Amino acid sequence: METELPTITILPVPFSPEHILIALAVLIPALVIFNLLLITEGAFESIGLRFYQAMLVTAGALLGSLIDIPLIPVGEAVIAVNVGGAVIPIIVTAATVAGGRVSRYKILVAVAVVSLVAYVFATPVPGLGITMPFYIAPLAGAITGLLLARGCQTAPGLAYAGGTMGTLLGADILNLINPDVLAALAGGQATVLAIGGAGIFDGIFVTGVLSVLLAVYAGRGLREKGRVCPGEKE
């Protein structure tokens, strides 16, 4: 005697164009943020941070980019320091130096070189802030790090320190200590001039990540071809 078992039929549920647009509006930003976190976390790991440290630094830099700490009142304006764009990079660079991952002398040289480049290319714009082509500082940081490290695996750490600290010093601080530039930026209005601050995609945060990635991939390519650091293997 045969027994017929009930069956479940799965029918495709049609999606309306509105449903598809809503799904894309949710998924695309989520994927972008997820990939951004992976990329930045990988960049921080390459300069010697552990996984949990890299995640904390990444989250701190992104969230901290929204926080400005007031420092000095100058007329109607206030000079502040941005947590994500200034405080976090300073802490990471200090940890890199304290951990002995890179030479202190080479870091000073990298910061000095990138500071000069950033100062030359930075342009104070009243009502907007200090602007600079986004590729200048990362390229300067990566090239300086690679040259100072001779392509070896300390290049990413030097690139990060040079790119971030050099941009802070050359683009932000050296311009803000100029009274004429400060007056032009403030424009006689109540405003906050944040060192390292430009929102969640702050230029210094992006500079640090891009400097490291460029140094990592360029250095890896040179080592694979045997042109530098023959004793180092990936």
Side-chain angles (χ1 to χ4, degrees), residues 6-218:
T7 59
I8 300 176
T9 302
I10 300 177
L11 298 175
V13 179
F15 287 96
S16 67
E18 291 79 8
H19 291 162
I20 295 175
L21 290 175
I22 292 173
L24 290 176
V26 173
L27 290 176
I28 292 177
L31 289 174
V32 170
I33 293 173
F34 178 73
N35 284 310
L36 176 65
L37 290 174
L38 287 180
I39 292 171
T40 53
E41 182 271 328
F44 287 123
E45 276 195 285
S46 68
I47 64 176
L49 299 184
R50 297 179 180 179
F51 174 78
Y52 74 91
Q53 292 173 326
M55 291 300 295
L56 286 175
V57 168
T58 300
L62 290 173
L63 296 176
S65 293
L66 305 174
I67 303 172
D68 294 325
I69 301 175
L71 291 181
I72 306 171
V74 181
E76 295 294 328
V78 175
I79 296 179
V81 61
N82 185 264
V83 174
V87 176
I88 296 293
I90 291 172
I91 292 174
V92 173
T93 301
T96 302
V97 174
R101 302 185 186 103
V102 292
S103 163
R104 297 182 182 182
Y105 168 75
K106 289 183 178 180
I107 278 187
L108 291 176
V109 174
V111 172
V113 171
V114 180
S115 295
L116 179 60
V117 174
Y119 184 75
V120 170
F121 283 93
T123 304
V125 179
L128 181 61
I130 299 170
T131 65
M132 182 170 59
F134 79 94
Y135 54 85
I136 295 294
L139 282 175
I143 293 172
T144 303
L146 287 167
L147 290 175
L148 289 173
R150 297 181 180 179
C152 297
Q153 292 184 6
T154 56
L158 289 170
Y160 179 83
T164 56
M165 298 298 98
T167 304
L168 273 175
L169 180 59
D172 283 6
I173 295 176
L174 290 183
N175 276 291
L176 289 178
I177 62 175
N178 185 329
D180 295 334
V181 173
L182 185 59
L185 288 175
Q189 299 178 357
T191 184
V192 176
L193 302 174
I195 297 174
I200 196 165
F201 291 110
D202 170 72
I204 294 174
F205 172 72
V206 174
T207 291
V209 173
L210 290 181
S211 297
V212 170
L213 293 178
L214 289 172
V216 166
Y217 289 110

